[in-house]
Amino acid sequence: MNIGLPEIKCVDLAGSSNLKEVTILGSTGSIGCNTLDLIERDKERYNILALTAYRNVEKLATQAIEFNAKMAVIADETLFGDLCTALQGTGIKAAAGESALTEAASMPADWVMSSIVGAAGLKPTLTAIRRGATVALANKECLVCAGEFMMDQVKEFGATILPIDSEHNAIFQIFDFDNPTTVEKISLTASGGPFLKTNIDEMELIKPEQAVKHPNWSMGAKISVDSATMMNKGLELIEAYYLFPVEKEQLEIIVHPESIIHSMVTYMDGSVLAQLGSPDMRIPISHGLAWPKRMETPAKKLDLTDVGKLHFFKPDEERFPALNITREVLQKGGSAPTILNASNEVAVYAFLEGKIGFLDIAKIVEETLNKIDFHNMTCLNDVHDVDENARRVSNESVTGKIK
Ligand code: NAD
Ligand code: MG
């Protein structure tokens, strides 16, 4: 099933009130900090309800105090005492653990940034969706592991999803939602990551510190590795399928190393619409934050005469097997994307910890998909069970590959 954005309720938040109440799930990460950077420039317009983080108590407490948040949540319960100490005397409520993340997402914020990395963001994001919130969605893993279920809930509870991933935000800006049948195809652009031209023998030897250095974007470690394997683009293919009313065959990936065109939509008459901009996540985040209006950002204004040339080519599916794997997973549907996501998370963190090689990431994902039978999922419990089992199987594969 494919539920498009036109069916999602749209509320003119920017026009209805001058003060916007905001919660940021994952405030200490790259997306979270960029969101706060924008808010800081116009603090009077925003009231921060909750900020959450995994383990970085110091950064979370600093943010909570600076933005006068009502609540700060640290996901790792063992750090609750440290957070209480850091927030002593401030009047900010400190909380910890999974239930506190849910509590943060339940607070009546007008706008929730979903920027926790990985499937860990699913539960709090669904909590916000179930109270009909406007959710700025940066976390793509939620949609990959539970897309059908999540979009059903968006519809059922009248929530609004604003795509923040730069490609999906670009498509959101240029897609004719009133006439979706006039769309011929969506082209997701991919920078190709830091190893676009690296030959396969050298790829074997890639170290984590090389893989996290993206040529155009500054991002968290997991998405940087995903960009390096191009799994990121595969995850985005699945993300686009759930967000936009198109068929799987209407989605394509084009390598565009400059990351200036963030995606394109081709219409039946031959017109191609694109969204362009400097590679700065504050542009798509601002689009979500001000939506349906626009706001100033500090992002460098694009000067195409400075850029000079833009390049485009087909992705190399031999050196980046993640692209074929994700395309097949999208075709299969059911539990396959959930397995893919869980397995990729296990493999990426094993690589970052130096346990396995760079090329092992895609191998582990493929092995895991081959070992587990796919089936249809009907509820969130199914998603959890499939996710848990895929992590167990992937961890076995990691053990078999430890260097
Ligand atoms: P990051 O690693 O910089 O930050 C992740 C945030 O999630 C941090 O606040 C961290 O404390 C929190 N977190 C991590 N594990 C957690 C857990 N188990 N429980 C609760 N909180 C946890 O990641 P990022 O680069 O900001 O990316 C966030 C999400 O946005 C990812 O899904 C990514 O794919 C997506 N995204 C990021 C970018 C980007 O430019 N960074 C662009 C597009 C999409
Ligand atoms: Mg992206």
Side-chain angles (χ1 to χ4, degrees), residues 147-182:
E148 216 169 285
F149 183 73
M150 195 165 141
M151 294 312 280
D152 278 350
Q153 300 254 298
V154 166
K155 206 175 169 194
E156 184 180 343
F157 293 94
T160 301
I161 296 285
L162 301 174
I164 298 300
D165 207 350
S166 58
E167 298 75 6
H168 306 73
N169 180 266
I171 299 161
F172 183 47
Q173 295 195 41
I174 56 185
F175 195 96
D176 186 351
F177 289 103
D178 293 327
N179 300 292
T181 55
T182 62

Side-chain angles (χ1 to χ4, degrees), residues 25-32 34 52-56 75 101 114-118 120-121 138-141 164-167 217-223 226 232 236 281 349:
L25 304 168
S27 64
T28 55
S30 166
I31 293 285
N34 275 321
T52 83
Y54 186 28
R55 288 194 175 126
N56 195 339
L101 278 181
S114 166
S115 56
I116 290 174
V117 60
N139 176 316
K140 66 195 81 185
E141 294 92 347
I164 298 300
D165 207 350
S166 58
E167 298 75 6
W217 301 94
S218 163
M219 310 181 286
K222 197 256 176 187
I223 185 177
D226 284 343
N232 183 51
E236 289 182 354
M281 281 309 291
Y349 289 112

Side-chain angles (χ1 to χ4, degrees), residues 158-335:
T160 301
I161 296 285
L162 301 174
I164 298 300
D165 207 350
S166 58
E167 298 75 6
H168 306 73
N169 180 266
I171 299 161
F172 183 47
Q173 295 195 41
I174 56 185
F175 195 96
D176 186 351
F177 289 103
D178 293 327
N179 300 292
T181 55
T182 62
V183 170
E184 197 174 284
K185 67 174 174 180
I186 286 178
S187 307
L188 292 168
T189 50
S191 69
F195 310 122
L196 182 60
K197 297 199 169 122
T198 308
N199 74 47
I200 194 100
D201 302 332
E202 289 171 51
M203 283 172 105
E204 193 83 56
L205 305 170
I206 289 165
K207 297 271 168 288
E209 53 275 22
Q210 297 170 284
V212 295
K213 273 199 199 126
H214 195 280
N216 305 338
W217 301 94
S218 163
M219 310 181 286
K222 197 256 176 187
I223 185 177
S224 297
V225 175
D226 284 343
S227 299
T229 59
M230 288 195 78
M231 180 63 82
N232 183 51
K233 212 47 58 180
L235 299 177
E236 289 182 354
L237 198 74
I238 300 172
E239 181 185 11
Y241 173 67
Y242 287 118
L243 286 173
F244 305 109
V246 291
E247 301 300 324
K248 295 164 183 172
E249 297 70 28
Q250 288 174 281
L251 295 165
E252 72 168 10
I253 294 169
I254 294 181
V255 176
H256 163 46
E258 292 86 2
S259 301
I260 297 291
I261 294 184
H262 298 301
S263 275
M264 295 175 269
V265 175
T266 302
Y267 288 90
M268 66 199 303
D269 61 359
S271 298
V272 182
L273 301 198
Q275 186 260 353
L276 287 73
S278 301
D280 185 327
M281 281 309 291
R282 289 175 297 186
I283 298 175
I285 294 170
S286 78
H287 185 262
L289 195 55
W291 184 86
K293 300 187 176 178
R294 288 188 189 264
M295 62 192 278
E296 290 278 345
T297 80
K300 188 170 176 258
K301 292 276 157 42
L302 183 62
D303 180 347
L304 283 175
T305 60
D306 248 8
V307 178
K309 282 183 184 167
L310 297 177
H311 297 86
F312 306 93
F313 38 92
K314 287 195 167 71
D316 181 341
E317 287 167 359
E318 207 173 309
R319 285 185 310 120
F320 297 101
L323 294 170
N324 269 336
I325 297 173
T326 45
R327 175 69 72 181
E328 270 179 40
V329 159
L330 178 62
Q331 285 305 335
K332 289 194 167 107
S335 57

